[in-house]
Amino acid sequence: MSAEFPLFRRGFGRGEGESRRSSRLIVEGCAVASVLGLLEARERAARERVEDLREAAARAAAALEAAEVEWDRRVIAREELVDALAESAEEATAAVETEGEDLPAPVLASVPGAVVPPWREGLSVAVLSLDNQRILNVLQDRPGHEPVRAKGIAAALGIDNAVAAKVEGVRSKAKRLGERGWLLQEASGAFSAGRRLVAGPGGGSSA
């Protein structure tokens, strides 16, 4: 019996060592799992933060676009009102002159950005607003003065032509310039560089 005890002790020692190694592996595995779980939690929090910021940015972009559309509409409404008032004043002046009254005609100052005066020989583009001057420059720079639609003019001006209200704002300005003889409006609705005399309120030319 005594001869068997050393073998038993050696077997017991090997079993104890393997048990310790197994315990160490378990502890190390738990530590790795704990770190991995922490990293995954941080990654998830970062992803949620990015998604929240993207949603906030999308809402801000939509609000900005809506504000720009509203701004364009206000600008168009103001310009149309000012033009209507200017035309009314011109008609009143023409009526007075037709009646033969020897009264000095009121001088209507052309304020850049407010009124688009009828084109006539010698009238400089400086009387126009900067936006209108830029539209004329786009048409003037076209090879062969090819006609351009409002959407193309908007793109050349760096305006987002995917927004209908912005394109309509450009079309309104170009159309007004065409009506006042500063550019040519084609039957297709496109615009091209050129000048023409337009009829004044009294039926004569604006020159």
Side-chain angles (χ1 to χ4, degrees):
M1 291 291 293
S2 61
E4 294 179 357
F5 285 127
L7 295 175
F8 175 77
R9 292 181 62 184
R10 285 196 297 273
F12 178 78
R14 285 197 301 272
E16 183 179 2
E18 291 176 356
S19 177
R20 289 177 179 176
R21 282 195 297 273
S22 298
S23 299
R24 185 170 63 252
L25 291 175
I26 292 173
V27 171
E28 291 175 352
C30 291
V32 170
S34 177
V35 172
L36 182 60
L38 178 61
L39 293 176
E40 289 176 345
R42 290 179 177 177
E43 178 185 350
R44 184 167 54 254
R47 183 178 64 253
E48 292 174 353
R49 173 66 173 166
V50 169
E51 291 174 353
D52 290 343
L53 290 175
R54 284 176 176 170
E55 291 178 359
R59 289 194 298 269
L64 175 60
E65 180 176 322
E68 288 178 341
V69 169
E70 180 66 18
W71 181 23
D72 288 339
R73 288 175 178 171
R74 300 295 183 184
V75 170
I76 293 171
R78 175 182 58 79
E79 290 179 345
E80 289 178 346
L81 176 60
V82 170
D83 276 355
L85 293 175
E87 289 176 0
S88 178
E90 290 174 0
E91 291 173 357
T93 301
V96 170
E97 292 176 349
T98 301
E99 292 173 0
E101 296 185 13
D102 190 13
L103 296 176
V107 178
L108 300 177
S110 179
V111 180
V115 178
V116 178
W119 175 84
R120 64 178 183 273
E121 288 290 346
L123 189 60
S124 170
V125 295
V127 301
L128 301 175
S129 69
L130 291 178
D131 285 344
N132 287 333
Q133 292 181 38
R134 292 176 65 199
I135 290 175
L136 294 181
N137 289 337
V138 168
L139 299 177
Q140 190 67 35
D141 293 342
R142 290 283 295 181
H145 294 173
E146 296 178 356
V148 189
R149 291 190 175 275
K151 198 168 185 178
I153 297 175
L157 293 175
I159 297 173
D160 186 1
N161 60 10
V163 181
K166 294 184 178 181
V167 175
E168 188 58 36
V170 173
R171 180 181 289 106
S172 176
K173 289 183 175 69
K175 187 175 181 180
R176 188 175 299 111
L177 289 169
E179 291 172 348
R180 298 305 177 89
W182 289 93
L183 56 78
L184 303 179
Q185 184 172 2
E186 309 293 332
S188 63
F191 304 92
S192 60
R195 300 285 191 271
R196 66 182 181 89
L197 294 175
V198 295
S205 70
S206 61

